[in-house]
């Protein structure tokens, strides 16, 4: 492996990477000034051609590093191959503007572990938000874009992708096309001699698989890099002899520990689940998402997946959507699967199963100090708080936050300099909770 | 340069290549059986993963070679980076179904240089058509897809792309934002010491530039390969030291002969014109096409461009569209710029200028024996026949054929094994003419 590749591994990963959620409380790092590092301030990729020092490309590792990510997270398809998720030919479902009972940006909260009082506007800038939209009772009470992101431009969803894959698996199960109790090998015999050889589909859906695989970005030998390189998220180089596709990588995974005992967040589980749903439906992930969700919720734009060199979509972190369609999906989940166009887009039983959540006793073993009492089900994060809030989460701040009791959905795309959600959570989680409470006040 | 790259240059180019039109009468080659080499017969890219011998990837040169092109021409974005051409949020313009006064597939014609009689259906299969649509008086009287192409899937337009770029330049000229009489260097000072240093914008628009550049695919030293490699249409490899973007390549071009004297079809002119329209509009080609044409004609799907490593669209051959939107554009041109939704999408003066054509005396010097009496204007091919027919043309059979007198538009995407249009023309040109005459009969 060349020095170039090694450098790319060490430095460039975040652009095209999969996603994780830190199991550690972050030591607050010295963060760059959001305004001084915004796309507008730095002027990436302006002009024909852009100035050399303003250029962002796939083969320059810096493209994946903050602050360039504030541009590149909104321009993924311009650097890598992708597969389209068709919205269909119908009308977009309504996403009407509404009036908030409160001044959104002025809503205050206390960051986790802090006595400081911040307002919602400070959370938005302080977490390097590229776009944020608040729905209350199905109406858009707040919608703003910053820098490179616009209403019609897709942004990378990172691990929010996984919640789509988990939902698709649950839909196929509801339709009788996928058996969660079955062994993984029923659908993928090729995984017989891997960690998944004695795992069930349900264990994959809920990430309780014992598999030797590390997502520790700080460790250059972590398997996350092998995964990313196999999937074409990093350059493979001419002398590369490792796995050249997601499938080729997945069949190398070895068992570590037991299945079914503890939640362990590992992106490879989402890739295995993506493989399972392809086999169960005989459709590509892009076509399946289009048919089962995108067309049904009345998405207003096509979405797309990053793909590896053989055209396989990344189910772990490769989805890109416009923020408004993320909002439609969140609103559909809030309403028991009923989309803004009135269609029962997702079976009610599927949404209820997700909302009930997984087993908090298994979740606690993963050791997330900021997510006390939470669980993980069908690749969703379930808070079990009094509001019944549940989330889809991706590194650098991507999120769908559904608060059924407050009749509120918040969707956010961001380019936080720190990958782990632990860097966003101390601001975003209390801010979202405060917004819910503010919207509920009579 | 590695053997791998050289092999790719020799074998793989057609997938991602620019386009040309042969100036030679083709010696009819022994062509493969269309049915036996169809996507359905050969089954590319089925399954998860596809079987090794059914796999098509960018880094395998065979992916760009017939018969794999019958799949890959409809899946370009899954192998290379691309830029979106947004259709906007409005409704698609109507493309109503109509009833043809004749049995379309039964219309007969004689191939050029042959006494044989064929029918339209035989032309369709015999020229490896991926999709074809016939509009008569604005109604769809025929629409069929084959193999990998579907109504909602974009196909590569090859050099049909150039006619979009030429139309955009003419629109900007009509708006007073671009001066065709000005020197190219008014917009691109960087081209001062190149072939374009003393050329005018009009000479670029009509391809009467004297530039040392060969598109002869049979010559491995032809500049077409340098162009393609610079634009990322071929792998550059780790030791590559040549131009790494379209811009870097264009500034290397040297003058050969005089400007303004003879038509000479060279893809680099379209790339230079794309650069000019970006500078004149301060917009990317994708955004400009979206604003000036795609949104105005009421396209039903987004289109996309292949881009080089710095995100620059290929204006020479990189556009991908659905066939129905190509039909909308052709119908708009037939109606003096009025789109099917009734909007004056393209200025009438622009369409009239294109229809008047260029100088046939300059065109004849290029020596196209199958295109006697034709001319080239604003990157459109103008027949000057009694029907006033004009065309956009791309290798392997991509075409928009507008016949104003017959009130007919035919659009076609194809994957003919022979790159040059000279391989399609003997069947398609008389077939289109016969269809026009058949539709005009009372």
């Amino acid at each position: 492996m060349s020095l170039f590749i090694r450098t790319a591994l060490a430095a460039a990963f975040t652009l095209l990477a999969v996603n994780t959620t830190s199991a550690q409380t972050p030591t607050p790092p010295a963060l760059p000034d959001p305004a001084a590092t915004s796309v507008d301030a730095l002027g990436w990729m302006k002009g024909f051609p852009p100035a050399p020092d303003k250029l962002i490309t796939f083969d320059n590792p810096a493209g994946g590093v903050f602050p360039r990510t504030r541009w590149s997270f909104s321009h993924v398809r311009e650097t890598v191959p992708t597969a389209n998720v068709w919205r269909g030919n119908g009308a977009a479902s309504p996403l009407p503007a509404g009036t908030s009972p409160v001044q959104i940006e002025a809503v205050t909260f206390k960051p986790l572990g802090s006595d400081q009082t911040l307002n919602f506007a400070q959370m938005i800038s302080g977490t390097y938000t590229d776009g944020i939209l608040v729905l209350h009772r199905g109406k858009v009470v707040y919608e703003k874009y910053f820098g490179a992101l616009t209403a019609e431009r897709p942004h990378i969803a990172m691990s929010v992708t996984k919640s789509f894959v988990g939902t698709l698996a649950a839909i196929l199960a509801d339709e009788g096309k996928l058996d969660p109790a079955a062994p993984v090998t029923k659908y993928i015999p090729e995984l017989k001699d891997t960690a998944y050889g004695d795992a069930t589909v349900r264990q994959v859906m809920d990430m309780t698989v014992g598999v030797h695989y590390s997502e520790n970005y700080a460790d250059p030998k972590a398997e996350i890099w092998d995964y990313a390189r196999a999937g074409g998220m990093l350059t493979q180089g001419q002398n590369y002899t490792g796995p050249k596709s997601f499938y080729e990588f997945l069949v190398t995974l070895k068992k570590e520990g037991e299945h079914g005992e503890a939640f362990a967040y590992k992106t490879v589980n989402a890739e295995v689940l993506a493989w399972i749903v392809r086999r169960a439906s005989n459709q590509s992930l892009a076509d399946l998402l289009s048919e089962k969700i995108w067309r049904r919720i009345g998405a207003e734009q096509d979405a797309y997946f990053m793909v590896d060199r053989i055209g396989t979509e990344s189910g772990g972190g490769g989805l890109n959507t416009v923020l408004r369609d993320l909002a439609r999906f969140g609103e559909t989940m809030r309403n028991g699967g009923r989309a803004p166009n009135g269609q029962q887009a997702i079976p009610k039983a599927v949404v209820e199963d997700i909302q009930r959540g997984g087993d908090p006793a298994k979740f606690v073993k993963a050791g997330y100090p900021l997510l006390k009492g939470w669980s993980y089900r069908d690749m969703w994060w379930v808070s079990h708080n009094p509001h019944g809030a549940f989330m889809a989460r991706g590194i650098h701040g991507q999120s769908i936050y559904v608060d059924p009791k407050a009749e509120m959905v918040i969707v956010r795309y961001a380019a936080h300099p720190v990958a782990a959600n632990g860097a966003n959570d101390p601001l975003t989680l209390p801010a979202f909770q405060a917004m819910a409470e503010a919207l509920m006040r009579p």
Side-chain angles (χ1 to χ4, degrees), chain A:
Chain A
M1 189 165 56
S2 72
L3 178 63
F4 173 77
I5 301 294
R6 175 59 65 192
T7 308
L9 280 170
F13 184 69
T14 55
L15 167 58
L16 303 163
V18 291
N19 320 284
T20 191
T21 299
S22 170
Q24 317 262 302
T25 309
T27 309
L31 291 173
D33 174 23
T37 52
S38 72
V39 163
D40 295 337
L42 297 178
W44 305 114
M45 296 295 280
K46 303 269 187 211
F48 312 102
D53 63 331
K54 300 299 183 187
L55 199 57
I56 297 177
T57 68
F58 178 68
D59 46 359
N60 176 0
V65 178
F66 184 88
R68 287 176 175 80
T69 48
R70 300 216 69 177
W71 181 89
S72 47
F73 284 0
S74 299
H75 290 264
V76 168
R77 71 176 286 176
E78 291 153 48
T79 63
V80 294
T82 53
N84 196 50
V85 178
W86 189 42
R87 62 171 293 280
N89 276 328
S93 62
L95 213 58
T99 309
S100 167
V102 295
Q103 222 291 29
I104 297 285
E105 294 186 350
V107 169
T108 57
F109 65 96
K110 284 191 195 304
L112 297 177
S114 163
D115 279 338
Q116 203 182 5
T117 294
L118 296 179
N119 64 32
F120 205 73
Q122 288 169 307
M123 178 280 288
I124 288 172
S125 65
T127 54
Y128 307 82
T129 302
D130 292 331
I132 184 165
L133 191 155
V134 182
L135 280 174
H136 182 227
R137 297 180 179 156
K139 295 191 172 161
V140 181
V141 296
Y142 191 79
E143 181 180 7
K144 279 210 176 168
Y145 300 92
F146 306 90
L149 194 60
T150 61
E152 67 271 15
R153 181 172 282 287
H155 187 286
I156 187 157
M158 297 293 185
S159 287
V160 168
T161 308
K162 294 179 175 71
S163 302
F164 283 96
V165 175
T167 306
L168 288 172
I171 291 171
L172 291 177
D174 182 80
E175 293 175 353
K177 294 175 184 160
L178 175 67
D179 179 7
V184 169
T185 51
K186 176 181 175 183
Y187 303 97
I188 317 179
E190 295 95 323
L191 289 176
K192 183 168 74 74
D193 296 326
T194 73
Y196 297 90
D198 60 347
T200 66
V201 172
R202 167 52 63 200
Q203 287 163 346
V204 177
M205 292 169 78
D206 294 349
M207 290 218 198
T208 60
V209 175
V211 52
H212 178 78
Y213 169 90
S214 163
E215 290 206 16
N216 181 358
Y217 296 143
D219 176 6
K221 292 186 179 168
E223 288 76 12
I224 180 80
W225 308 117
D226 300 325
Y227 159 78
R229 200 167 38 230
M233 297 158 164
L234 295 172
T235 56
Q236 294 178 344
Q238 288 195 319
N239 302 320
Y240 175 72
T241 56
K244 288 193 170 174
S245 68
F246 289 124
Y247 298 134
E248 286 185 15
F249 177 73
L250 295 175
V251 297
T252 70
L253 293 167
K254 296 298 171 199
K255 192 169 180 182
E256 182 179 83
E258 294 305 314
H259 303 321
E261 297 193 345
F263 169 61
Y265 183 86
K266 300 188 176 184
T267 289
V268 284
N269 291 319
E271 296 298 354
V272 168
L273 191 59
W275 196 354
I276 290 170
V277 299
R278 288 182 195 107
R279 284 276 170 88
S281 67
N282 197 29
Q283 285 183 288
S284 73
L285 191 61
D287 286 347
L288 186 66
L289 179 58
S290 170
E291 181 192 316
K292 299 294 184 193
I293 298 181
W294 227 241
R295 281 180 257 180
R296 290 184 183 175
I297 66 173
E300 71 181 54
Q301 307 296 339
D302 290 353
Y304 66 84
F305 280 103
M306 293 167 58
V307 298
D308 69 11
R309 68 178 275 285
I310 67 167
T312 310
E313 311 91 338
S314 165
L319 184 65
N320 294 257
T321 82
V322 298
L323 189 66
R324 294 171 61 83
D325 288 333
L326 213 57
R328 284 183 172 87
F329 181 56
E331 180 67 5
T332 301
M333 295 300 290
R334 182 183 79 79
N335 282 311
R338 190 175 296 274
N341 56 17
Q343 191 184 345
Q344 188 69 36
I346 297 169
K348 195 162 195 293
V350 166
V351 179
E352 287 173 347
D353 182 65
I354 290 166
Q355 288 190 258
R356 270 193 302 272
D359 184 346
K362 290 177 183 171
F363 187 90
V364 76
K365 295 179 186 172
Y368 292 91
L370 301 181
L371 305 176
K372 290 204 190 302
W374 290 52
S375 74
Y376 194 78
R377 180 73 169 176
D378 295 342
M379 305 212 166
W380 286 83
W381 302 78
V382 183
S383 79
H384 300 280
N385 75 4
H387 289 197
F390 56 105
M391 288 187 78
R393 295 157 58 86
I395 51 168
H396 301 287
Q398 327 315 325
S399 52
I400 304 173
Y401 186 92
V402 181
D403 187 319
K405 187 164 182 194
E407 301 168 282
M408 179 191 82
V409 173
I410 299 177
V411 288
R412 190 171 85 96
Y413 278 140
H416 197 291
V418 179
N421 271 317
N424 288 279
D425 288 342
L427 271 70
T428 52
L429 291 184
F432 295 168
Q433 177 67 20
M435 184 62 61
E437 288 164 8
L439 291 172
M440 286 169 69
R441 268 177 225 128

Short mmCIF file of all heavy atoms in Angstrom, two decimals, chain A residues 216-245:
data_model
loop_
_atom_site.label_atom_id
_atom_site.label_comp_id
_atom_site.label_asym_id
_atom_site.label_seq_id
_atom_site.Cartn_x
_atom_site.Cartn_y
_atom_site.Cartn_z
N ASN A 216 -12.90 2.47 15.20
CA ASN A 216 -12.13 3.50 15.88
C ASN A 216 -11.28 4.26 14.87
O ASN A 216 -10.26 3.77 14.38
CB ASN A 216 -11.24 2.84 16.94
CG ASN A 216 -10.43 3.88 17.70
OD1 ASN A 216 -10.50 5.08 17.41
ND2 ASN A 216 -9.65 3.42 18.66
N TYR A 217 -11.71 5.47 14.55
CA TYR A 217 -11.02 6.26 13.53
C TYR A 217 -9.58 6.58 13.91
O TYR A 217 -8.74 6.85 13.06
CB TYR A 217 -11.75 7.59 13.28
CG TYR A 217 -13.11 7.43 12.72
CD1 TYR A 217 -14.15 8.28 13.10
CD2 TYR A 217 -13.39 6.43 11.79
CE1 TYR A 217 -15.42 8.12 12.57
CE2 TYR A 217 -14.65 6.27 11.26
CZ TYR A 217 -15.67 7.13 11.65
OH TYR A 217 -16.92 6.99 11.13
N ALA A 218 -9.31 6.56 15.20
CA ALA A 218 -7.96 6.93 15.65
C ALA A 218 -6.96 5.80 15.40
O ALA A 218 -5.76 6.02 15.46
CB ALA A 218 -7.99 7.28 17.13
N ASP A 219 -7.46 4.60 15.13
CA ASP A 219 -6.57 3.45 14.93
C ASP A 219 -6.40 3.17 13.44
O ASP A 219 -7.33 2.73 12.78
CB ASP A 219 -7.18 2.23 15.63
CG ASP A 219 -6.35 0.97 15.40
OD1 ASP A 219 -5.25 1.07 14.81
OD2 ASP A 219 -6.82 -0.11 15.80
N PRO A 220 -5.22 3.40 12.88
CA PRO A 220 -5.04 3.17 11.44
C PRO A 220 -5.19 1.71 11.05
O PRO A 220 -5.32 1.40 9.88
CB PRO A 220 -3.61 3.67 11.17
CG PRO A 220 -2.94 3.74 12.50
CD PRO A 220 -4.01 3.91 13.54
N LYS A 221 -5.18 0.80 12.03
CA LYS A 221 -5.37 -0.61 11.70
C LYS A 221 -6.82 -1.07 11.91
O LYS A 221 -7.13 -2.25 11.73
CB LYS A 221 -4.44 -1.49 12.56
CG LYS A 221 -2.98 -1.29 12.19
CD LYS A 221 -2.09 -2.27 12.93
CE LYS A 221 -0.63 -2.08 12.52
NZ LYS A 221 0.29 -2.80 13.43
N ALA A 222 -7.69 -0.15 12.27
CA ALA A 222 -9.09 -0.51 12.47
C ALA A 222 -9.69 -1.01 11.17
O ALA A 222 -9.35 -0.53 10.08
CB ALA A 222 -9.88 0.69 13.00
N GLU A 223 -10.60 -1.96 11.27
CA GLU A 223 -11.20 -2.56 10.08
C GLU A 223 -12.06 -1.56 9.30
O GLU A 223 -12.36 -1.79 8.13
CB GLU A 223 -12.05 -3.79 10.47
CG GLU A 223 -11.24 -5.00 10.88
CD GLU A 223 -10.66 -4.90 12.28
OE1 GLU A 223 -11.07 -3.99 13.03
OE2 GLU A 223 -9.79 -5.73 12.63
N ILE A 224 -12.45 -0.48 9.95
CA ILE A 224 -13.22 0.53 9.24
C ILE A 224 -12.50 0.99 7.97
O ILE A 224 -13.10 1.25 6.95
CB ILE A 224 -13.51 1.75 10.16
CG1 ILE A 224 -14.31 2.83 9.44
CG2 ILE A 224 -12.22 2.36 10.71
CD1 ILE A 224 -15.75 2.55 9.37
N TRP A 225 -11.18 1.04 8.01
CA TRP A 225 -10.43 1.49 6.83
C TRP A 225 -10.47 0.45 5.73
O TRP A 225 -10.54 0.80 4.55
CB TRP A 225 -8.99 1.82 7.22
CG TRP A 225 -8.89 2.76 8.37
CD1 TRP A 225 -8.35 2.53 9.60
CD2 TRP A 225 -9.38 4.11 8.41
NE1 TRP A 225 -8.46 3.65 10.39
CE2 TRP A 225 -9.09 4.63 9.69
CE3 TRP A 225 -10.04 4.92 7.49
CZ2 TRP A 225 -9.44 5.92 10.08
CZ3 TRP A 225 -10.39 6.22 7.86
CH2 TRP A 225 -10.09 6.70 9.14
N ASP A 226 -10.40 -0.82 6.11
CA ASP A 226 -10.49 -1.89 5.11
C ASP A 226 -11.87 -1.86 4.44
O ASP A 226 -11.99 -2.05 3.24
CB ASP A 226 -10.25 -3.25 5.77
CG ASP A 226 -8.88 -3.34 6.42
OD1 ASP A 226 -7.93 -2.75 5.87
OD2 ASP A 226 -8.78 -3.96 7.49
N TYR A 227 -12.86 -1.65 5.28
CA TYR A 227 -14.24 -1.54 4.78
C TYR A 227 -14.36 -0.40 3.77
O TYR A 227 -14.88 -0.56 2.66
CB TYR A 227 -15.18 -1.32 5.96
CG TYR A 227 -16.52 -0.71 5.62
CD1 TYR A 227 -17.54 -1.49 5.06
CD2 TYR A 227 -16.76 0.64 5.83
CE1 TYR A 227 -18.76 -0.93 4.73
CE2 TYR A 227 -17.98 1.20 5.52
CZ TYR A 227 -18.97 0.42 4.96
OH TYR A 227 -20.19 0.97 4.64
N ALA A 228 -13.85 0.77 4.17
CA ALA A 228 -13.99 1.96 3.33
C ALA A 228 -13.23 1.81 2.02
O ALA A 228 -13.71 2.21 0.95
CB ALA A 228 -13.51 3.19 4.09
N ARG A 229 -12.06 1.21 2.10
CA ARG A 229 -11.26 1.04 0.88
C ARG A 229 -11.92 0.01 -0.04
O ARG A 229 -11.98 0.20 -1.25
CB ARG A 229 -9.85 0.60 1.26
CG ARG A 229 -8.81 0.85 0.19
CD ARG A 229 -7.41 0.68 0.77
NE ARG A 229 -7.36 -0.43 1.70
CZ ARG A 229 -6.85 -0.37 2.93
NH1 ARG A 229 -6.31 0.74 3.37
NH2 ARG A 229 -6.86 -1.42 3.71
N ALA A 230 -12.45 -1.05 0.53
CA ALA A 230 -13.13 -2.06 -0.28
C ALA A 230 -14.32 -1.45 -1.00
O ALA A 230 -14.60 -1.76 -2.16
CB ALA A 230 -13.59 -3.22 0.60
N GLY A 231 -15.00 -0.53 -0.34
CA GLY A 231 -16.19 0.10 -0.91
C GLY A 231 -15.91 1.26 -1.83
O GLY A 231 -16.84 1.91 -2.29
N GLY A 232 -14.63 1.54 -2.09
CA GLY A 232 -14.30 2.63 -3.01
C GLY A 232 -14.47 4.01 -2.40
O GLY A 232 -14.50 5.00 -3.11
N MET A 233 -14.59 4.07 -1.06
CA MET A 233 -14.69 5.37 -0.41
C MET A 233 -13.31 5.99 -0.24
O MET A 233 -13.17 7.18 0.00
CB MET A 233 -15.35 5.21 0.96
CG MET A 233 -16.77 4.69 0.84
SD MET A 233 -17.30 3.91 2.38
CE MET A 233 -19.07 3.86 2.13
N LEU A 234 -12.29 5.16 -0.35
CA LEU A 234 -10.91 5.62 -0.40
C LEU A 234 -10.30 5.03 -1.67
O LEU A 234 -10.74 3.97 -2.13
CB LEU A 234 -10.12 5.12 0.81
CG LEU A 234 -10.56 5.64 2.17
CD1 LEU A 234 -9.81 4.90 3.27
CD2 LEU A 234 -10.33 7.13 2.28
N THR A 235 -9.29 5.70 -2.20
CA THR A 235 -8.64 5.14 -3.39
C THR A 235 -8.00 3.81 -3.03
O THR A 235 -7.40 3.66 -1.97
CB THR A 235 -7.55 6.09 -3.91
OG1 THR A 235 -6.62 6.37 -2.87
CG2 THR A 235 -8.17 7.39 -4.39
N GLN A 236 -8.14 2.84 -3.96
CA GLN A 236 -7.56 1.51 -3.70
C GLN A 236 -6.12 1.45 -4.20
O GLN A 236 -5.30 0.72 -3.65
CB GLN A 236 -8.40 0.44 -4.38
CG GLN A 236 -9.80 0.31 -3.75
CD GLN A 236 -10.67 -0.72 -4.44
OE1 GLN A 236 -10.38 -1.15 -5.55
NE2 GLN A 236 -11.75 -1.10 -3.79
N GLY A 237 -5.82 2.22 -5.20
CA GLY A 237 -4.46 2.21 -5.73
C GLY A 237 -4.21 1.02 -6.63
O GLY A 237 -4.95 0.02 -6.60
N GLN A 238 -3.17 1.11 -7.44
CA GLN A 238 -2.93 0.09 -8.46
C GLN A 238 -2.41 -1.22 -7.89
O GLN A 238 -2.60 -2.27 -8.47
CB GLN A 238 -1.95 0.63 -9.49
CG GLN A 238 -2.59 1.68 -10.38
CD GLN A 238 -1.77 1.95 -11.61
OE1 GLN A 238 -0.56 2.02 -11.54
NE2 GLN A 238 -2.42 2.09 -12.75
N ASN A 239 -1.72 -1.14 -6.75
CA ASN A 239 -1.11 -2.36 -6.22
C ASN A 239 -1.97 -3.01 -5.13
O ASN A 239 -1.54 -3.95 -4.48
CB ASN A 239 0.29 -2.05 -5.67
CG ASN A 239 1.17 -1.46 -6.76
OD1 ASN A 239 1.12 -1.90 -7.91
ND2 ASN A 239 1.94 -0.44 -6.41
N TYR A 240 -3.15 -2.48 -4.96
CA TYR A 240 -4.05 -2.97 -3.92
C TYR A 240 -4.51 -4.39 -4.23
O TYR A 240 -4.90 -4.69 -5.36
CB TYR A 240 -5.24 -2.02 -3.84
CG TYR A 240 -6.34 -2.45 -2.90
CD1 TYR A 240 -6.15 -2.39 -1.52
CD2 TYR A 240 -7.56 -2.88 -3.38
CE1 TYR A 240 -7.16 -2.77 -0.65
CE2 TYR A 240 -8.58 -3.25 -2.52
CZ TYR A 240 -8.37 -3.19 -1.16
OH TYR A 240 -9.36 -3.56 -0.31
N THR A 241 -4.43 -5.26 -3.24
CA THR A 241 -4.83 -6.65 -3.48
C THR A 241 -5.96 -7.09 -2.55
O THR A 241 -6.34 -8.26 -2.54
CB THR A 241 -3.63 -7.60 -3.28
OG1 THR A 241 -3.11 -7.39 -1.96
CG2 THR A 241 -2.55 -7.36 -4.31
N GLY A 242 -6.48 -6.17 -1.74
CA GLY A 242 -7.53 -6.52 -0.79
C GLY A 242 -8.90 -6.60 -1.45
O GLY A 242 -9.02 -6.57 -2.68
N PRO A 243 -9.92 -6.71 -0.63
CA PRO A 243 -11.29 -6.80 -1.15
C PRO A 243 -11.63 -5.56 -1.98
O PRO A 243 -11.29 -4.44 -1.60
CB PRO A 243 -12.16 -6.84 0.11
CG PRO A 243 -11.24 -7.18 1.23
CD PRO A 243 -9.88 -6.71 0.83
N LYS A 244 -12.29 -5.76 -3.11
CA LYS A 244 -12.56 -4.66 -4.02
C LYS A 244 -14.03 -4.25 -4.05
O LYS A 244 -14.45 -3.46 -4.90
CB LYS A 244 -12.10 -5.03 -5.42
CG LYS A 244 -10.58 -5.03 -5.53
CD LYS A 244 -10.14 -5.09 -6.98
CE LYS A 244 -8.64 -4.83 -7.08
NZ LYS A 244 -8.14 -5.00 -8.45
N SER A 245 -14.83 -4.83 -3.19
CA SER A 245 -16.24 -4.46 -3.14
C SER A 245 -16.74 -4.71 -1.72
O SER A 245 -16.06 -5.36 -0.92
CB SER A 245 -17.06 -5.29 -4.13
OG SER A 245 -17.08 -6.64 -3.72
#
